[in-house]
């Protein structure tokens, strides 16, 4: 869910890795009509509603859990809770002028619930993991960034989550981290290497500038959008697939296999 004041947007999608079927629903609301955004990552509601269709995150934590739901009658439904067993990472960075960028990320959350697409029901299992992302920002008029997140395990069977970003913060500020069983470890600036003309046909390389992280991302399919409304422009590619490689920490080196997304986004707000 995104609230730009003059435009509200929301989307949800489900990708079936066995059948490679992608189901997506989305809403757009001029002047953000029917759109709310929570006061903090841990308090309030972020939602977009249009008639009977809605996407909603209840971020107020009760008994250690957040709640999320999607309702597009007859098309797509989801209802689940997210438990956060570890710690998140908050980053606050100044932008040009009087602007700022704040984000809260937490990877390796435990989801419990189900998705319904048509007459097919998908229920989470005990090994399912998720990432939570809450951002408030006054970005430059034109913003270009890459993002990657994923969850999975290492060769010791531990829960692993990653979050990497380039282009939104800089000058010594970082939101790049790896979570091991819910405990975050901060990492250096990240470089994304990919062919923008062959986003799905060729692997991506994701690495830190100190080479502590060396990951290969193999895309399977993507969600994409190309919007030009004059005032608002968004050229968005979000392939999802698998990450493999190593993450070197001071005390150990992780060998990981993860599933997640990369993102290439150019926006005018």
């Amino acid at each position: 869910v995104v609230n730009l004041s003059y435009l509200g947007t929301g989307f949800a999608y489900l990708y079936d890795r066995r059948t490679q079927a992608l189901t997506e629903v989305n809403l757009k609301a001029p002047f953000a009509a029917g759109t709310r955004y929570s006061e903090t990552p841990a308090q309030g509601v972020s939602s977009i509603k249009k008639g009977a269709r809605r996407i909603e995150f209840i971020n107020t934590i009760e008994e250690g859990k957040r709640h999320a739901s999607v309702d597009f009658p007859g098309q797509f439904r989801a209802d689940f809770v997210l438990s956060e067993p570890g710690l998140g990472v908050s980053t606050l960075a100044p932008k040009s002028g009087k602007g700022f960028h704040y984000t809260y990320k937490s990877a390796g959350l435990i989801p419990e619930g189900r998705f319904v697409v048509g007459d097919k029901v998908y229920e989470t299992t005990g090994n399912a993991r998720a990432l939570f992302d809450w951002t408030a920002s006054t970005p430059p008029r034109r913003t270009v960034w890459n993002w990657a997140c994923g969850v999975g395990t290492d060769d010791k069977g531990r829960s692993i989550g990653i979050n990497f970003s380039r282009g939104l913060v800089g000058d010594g500020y970082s939101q790049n981290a790896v979570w091991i069983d819910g405990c975050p470890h901060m990492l250096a600036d990240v470089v994304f290497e990919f062919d923008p003309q062959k986003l799905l046909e060729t692997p991506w390389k994701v690495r830190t500038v100190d080479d502590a992280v060396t990951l290969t991302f193999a895309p399977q399919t993507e969600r994409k959008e190309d919007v030009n409304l004059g005032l608002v422009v968004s050229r968005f590619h979000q392939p999802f697939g698998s990450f493999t490689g190593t993450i070197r920490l001071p005390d150990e080196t992780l060998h990981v296999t993860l599933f997640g997304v990369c993102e290439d986004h150019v926006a005018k707000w």
Side-chain angles (χ1 to χ4, degrees):
V1 176
V2 180
N3 187 342
L4 300 176
S5 296
Y6 49 81
L7 179 69
T9 67
F11 66 86
Y13 62 79
L14 177 78
Y15 176 58
D16 188 324
R17 295 167 64 182
R18 287 172 293 187
T19 65
Q20 298 186 340
L22 175 66
T23 303
E24 179 187 349
V25 293
N26 62 75
L27 292 172
K28 290 183 173 59
F31 304 108
T35 306
R36 301 169 62 189
Y37 204 73
S38 66
E39 296 85 355
T40 76
Q43 187 71 38
V45 176
S46 297
S47 64
I48 182 168
K49 299 180 181 180
K50 200 170 186 178
R53 298 171 295 168
R54 64 177 176 85
I55 301 170
E56 182 177 76
F57 294 86
I58 300 176
N59 293 326
T60 300
I61 298 176
E62 294 185 359
E63 299 181 351
K65 298 178 180 180
R66 296 179 174 87
H67 179 259
S69 60
V70 181
D71 192 358
F72 281 62
Q75 186 179 2
F76 188 110
R77 293 180 185 270
D79 190 80
F80 55 96
V81 294
L82 291 169
S83 301
E84 189 169 353
L87 299 173
V89 171
S90 292
T91 303
L92 176 61
K95 304 300 288 185
S96 59
K98 296 182 179 180
F100 72 97
H101 180 86
Y102 172 81
T103 186
Y104 176 86
K105 303 285 176 65
S106 185
L109 282 70
I110 301 172
E112 299 175 68
R114 68 178 190 164
F115 299 82
V116 180
V117 178
D119 58 359
K120 193 165 187 178
V121 178
Y122 300 83
E123 294 189 350
T124 60
T125 61
N127 62 354
R129 295 294 182 267
L131 178 136
F132 179 76
D133 176 358
W134 189 96
T135 298
S137 181
T138 54
R141 175 76 176 98
R142 183 179 187 273
T143 309
V144 180
W145 74 89
N146 296 116
W147 178 54
C149 72
V151 291
T153 58
D154 67 356
D155 58 350
K156 297 179 182 179
R158 295 176 296 183
S159 173
I160 304 295
I162 59 169
N163 178 82
F164 301 132
S165 178
R166 183 201 66 82
L168 288 174
V169 297
D171 300 324
Y173 296 89
S174 174
Q175 57 175 278
N176 303 322
V178 57
W179 283 257
I180 305 174
D181 286 338
C183 180
H185 302 261
M186 301 305 297
L187 299 166
D189 289 345
V190 171
V191 177
F192 290 79
E193 299 173 349
F194 60 96
D195 185 340
Q197 304 303 317
K198 298 180 179 179
L199 291 177
L200 298 181
E201 292 81 4
T202 58
W204 295 42
K205 299 293 184 182
V206 182
R207 61 178 179 84
T208 51
V209 294
D210 59 1
D211 291 325
V213 173
T214 305
L215 297 177
T216 298
F217 174 72
Q220 295 182 7
T221 188
E222 70 170 336
R223 179 187 182 267
K224 61 181 179 180
E225 191 173 58
D226 192 347
V227 175
N228 188 344
L229 302 177
L231 181 64
V232 179
V233 175
S234 176
R235 294 185 177 90
F236 172 91
H237 292 271
Q238 192 180 73
F240 33 96
S242 59
F243 295 88
T244 55
T246 59
I247 301 173
R248 191 178 72 249
L249 299 175
D251 298 329
E252 62 176 323
T253 297
L254 312 178
H255 299 269
V256 302
T257 301
L258 313 171
F259 192 85
V261 302
C262 281
E263 185 173 289
D264 183 40
H265 199 162
V266 178
K268 288 184 179 180
W269 310 95

